[in-house]
Amino acid sequence: MTEVKVAAAQAFARADAFAARHPRALTGTVVGLLTGFAVTAFGIAPLAPDARDLPQRTLAELVQTNDLDAQLSALAEHQIGLSRSELTRSSDTVESLFKRLGAFDPAAAQFLRNDPLARRTLQGRAGKSVQLTADASGIVQTMVVRFPAEKAEQQATHFSRLSITREGKGFVSKLETAALQAQIRLGSGSIQSSLFAATDEARIPDAIASQMADMFSGEIDFHRELRKGDRFSVVYESMTADGENVSWDNFAGRLIAGEFINNGRTHSAVWFKDNATGKGNFYSFDGQSKRRAFLASPMEFSRVTSGFSMRFHPIHQTWRQHLGVDYGAPTGTPVRTVGDGSVEFAGWQNGFGNVVHVRHSGDRTTVYAHLSRIDVKKGQRIEQGQKVGAVGATGWATGPHLHFEFRVKGSHQDPRAIARASEAVTLPNYARTQFKQTVASVKTQLSVAQTMDGGVSGAD
């Protein structure tokens, strides 16, 4: 009988331990067993040991606590680090940059002026990302400056990281080249006043907004046909540097897919790269190319200041037929060719100032005038979208802008009408299976983006 009691006690102990680990799972089962087998349980219960007969022990353990005064002293000595981020401006001095970053440190400012590497913070183009950590007194502890890679061939995949670290009473600087990381993002928004106001509200980069305008430029005139309440959704690749969004727009990423509802009509497109040729292009979901022989504009989306019509000439003070389109933009804004061709003329030409003429197939010519600089040479072959120069105010110009003309057999034509009527680039038949797979993937992502109430989120 004693052996039976011991076995029963051990069984109950194991059951009790198992019940403690799985209380919910066993509750219903135990209640059922106790109800259905009450008589049997009553017969076995006396075999269990009496809790009063079990040995009892008292355990005591000393808990060590740190001295309160030592803890207060350590807390008082702890330095709070304040971290802020800013973009450099063309007008910046070390003092103005530090002021925006909340730092006051003459020694750090002097280091930025004298150290060959640290001086790059404010040298060259503005728009560098600066992340600064300072203590509660504004004394700089670390600075990290991120900007495009110095080698042109690396700029699409890498970035420069300039680190400045306090060591003792001085500073140490280090310049590295690191890889950019791609992240897929979803975004959506609605038009209330302008395209860029809507994309700013949705926190979508300007570079992506410009690509979206290019993608749908053959179907939507973003200068004149936008309506309040128009909606858009996008899937795009965002480039990040150390987890931070890249601030320089030329390398901010690329648009993967988009949907735009303009005046009740839906337009959809996806970026697709042909693995055989290595070339990519935007296509509608049914495989029709969005790319035509000519772009609608020689600049990324901007403001039209004078269209193809009669106008009052600001210099000659007479009404004249305006044989082109003027685009208002700051001096230095890149100008691109609207189609493949060869440079017929590149130089100075009377009222046009610095001007480039590009000859295209079908006896068609485009003209880019008032440039501040010219980036191509006569006889050079160029591809659609390639830079030919930059906006300026040379020749007979009252302010910085681009004058653009489209001529067919010497006769001036409305550039936007020509772009819309130009022949489309077709999707090869062998690529259609891969294309359908790409479309199926982005449709799912766009569906998610459409549920967002204006804004951006990451996507797997």
Side-chain angles (χ1 to χ4, degrees):
M1 181 63 70
T2 302
E3 293 177 354
V4 173
K5 288 184 177 181
V6 172
Q10 292 175 343
F12 271 104
R14 289 195 297 272
D16 185 64
F18 184 83
R21 292 196 301 271
H22 307 283
R24 294 185 180 179
L26 293 180
T27 300
T29 304
V30 171
V31 170
L33 289 173
L34 291 177
T35 303
F37 302 100
V39 175
T40 304
F42 180 80
I44 297 175
L47 300 179
D50 191 331
R52 291 173 297 182
D53 297 333
L54 296 175
Q56 298 182 3
R57 291 183 298 170
T58 301
L59 298 177
E61 184 176 351
L62 181 63
V63 178
Q64 296 290 341
T65 59
N66 293 328
D67 180 68
L68 182 59
D69 290 336
Q71 293 183 60
L72 292 174
S73 297
L75 183 62
E77 293 174 359
H78 179 70
Q79 296 293 326
I80 299 176
L82 305 177
S83 181
R84 294 188 65 178
S85 298
E86 275 286 347
L87 300 180
T88 62
R89 303 172 183 173
S90 57
S91 59
D92 262 337
T93 63
V94 175
E95 285 73 20
S96 66
L97 177 61
F98 274 14
K99 184 177 181 180
R100 294 202 309 278
L101 289 166
F104 178 76
D105 191 334
Q110 190 66 21
F111 184 79
L112 258 66
R113 293 192 196 94
N114 297 337
D115 183 75
L117 289 180
R119 280 205 302 264
R120 298 193 186 187
T121 302
L122 296 179
Q123 288 177 343
R125 295 187 62 179
K128 296 183 179 73
S129 171
V130 181
Q131 188 175 31
L132 181 144
T133 301
D135 63 18
S137 301
I139 302 301
V140 176
Q141 303 301 312
T142 62
M143 277 184 67
V144 180
V145 187
R146 301 178 181 91
F147 50 95
E150 295 182 332
K151 294 181 180 179
E153 62 270 19
Q154 288 186 311
Q155 290 181 346
T157 56
H158 291 73
F159 71 98
S160 296
R161 182 197 298 125
L162 170 61
S163 303
I164 300 170
T165 308
R166 177 181 290 277
E167 290 192 1
K169 295 183 178 180
F171 293 87
V172 174
S173 61
K174 180 174 65 173
L175 182 64
E176 305 168 282
T177 299
L180 291 168
Q181 300 295 322
Q183 185 179 60
I184 301 299
R185 292 181 176 270
L186 311 178
S188 68
S190 62
I191 303 296
Q192 299 301 317
S193 58
S194 69
L195 176 64
F196 280 120
T199 53
D200 285 346
E201 180 70 19
R203 303 191 305 278
I204 295 172
D206 285 353
I208 301 302
S210 296
Q211 291 175 47
M212 180 170 63
D214 269 349
M215 180 170 66
F216 294 120
S217 63
E219 301 159 297
I220 305 171
D221 186 339
F222 283 89
H223 300 290
R224 297 181 293 189
E225 295 179 355
L226 286 186
R227 300 288 186 271
K228 185 175 181 179
D230 286 355
R231 292 196 59 81
F232 58 87
S233 303
V234 291
V235 179
Y236 64 96
E237 181 184 74
S238 175
M239 303 306 292
T240 61
D242 295 335
E244 301 290 332
N245 288 335
V246 169
S247 59
W248 44 97
D249 279 346
N250 288 344
F251 310 101
R254 64 179 179 85
L255 184 61
I256 295 175
E259 181 176 273
F260 204 105
I261 303 175
N262 171 236
N263 199 22
R265 185 178 178 184
T266 301
H267 305 272
S268 303
V270 59
W271 173 264
F272 178 73
K273 184 177 180 180
D274 183 353
N275 290 335
T277 63
K279 291 185 177 182
N281 189 28
F282 287 114
Y283 294 86
S284 61
F285 288 170
D286 61 2
Q288 296 298 312
S289 174
K290 295 293 184 180
R291 179 180 183 263
R292 296 185 176 273
F294 296 100
L295 297 173
S297 169
M299 298 173 60
E300 292 184 350
F301 183 67
S302 63
R303 174 172 58 95
V304 174
T305 57
S306 184
F308 187 83
S309 61
M310 293 294 291
R311 67 158 184 172
F312 187 77
H313 197 284
I315 294 179
H316 296 291
Q317 299 294 299
T318 58
W319 284 94
R320 296 186 176 191
Q321 173 69 29
H322 191 230
L323 301 176
V325 177
D326 287 351
Y327 296 86
T331 297
T333 303
V335 175
R336 61 188 180 179
T337 178
V338 296
D340 298 343
S342 60
V343 179
E344 189 175 55
F345 180 86
W348 186 273
Q349 193 177 65
N350 301 324
F352 278 163
N354 288 326
V355 62
V356 172
H357 294 233
V358 178
R359 178 166 290 278
H360 310 278
S361 63
D363 201 13
R364 295 171 290 194
T365 304
T366 52
V367 178
Y368 313 80
H370 305 311
L371 303 174
S372 60
R373 72 169 189 270
I374 295 174
D375 295 334
V376 292
K377 297 179 181 180
K378 182 179 179 179
Q380 180 180 340
R381 289 288 305 175
I382 54 178
E383 296 182 353
Q384 185 182 78
Q386 185 172 334
K387 293 178 183 178
V388 297
V391 169
T394 57
W396 297 344
T398 56
H401 72 283
L402 171 72
H403 174 77
F404 174 63
E405 294 182 3
F406 201 112
R407 304 172 184 174
V408 178
K409 296 181 179 180
S411 176
H412 291 83
Q413 305 291 329
D414 185 344
R416 286 169 294 190
I418 291 292
R420 290 193 175 190
S422 63
E423 57 274 18
V425 178
T426 58
L427 177 69
N429 288 329
Y430 63 79
R432 290 192 174 272
T433 300
Q434 181 188 354
F435 176 76
K436 289 180 180 179
Q437 294 172 348
T438 302
V439 169
S441 174
V442 300
K443 276 186 175 180
T444 301
Q445 294 173 316
L446 282 173
S447 296
V448 175
Q450 290 163 9
T451 64
M452 300 168 58
D453 187 17
V456 169
S457 73
D460 293 332

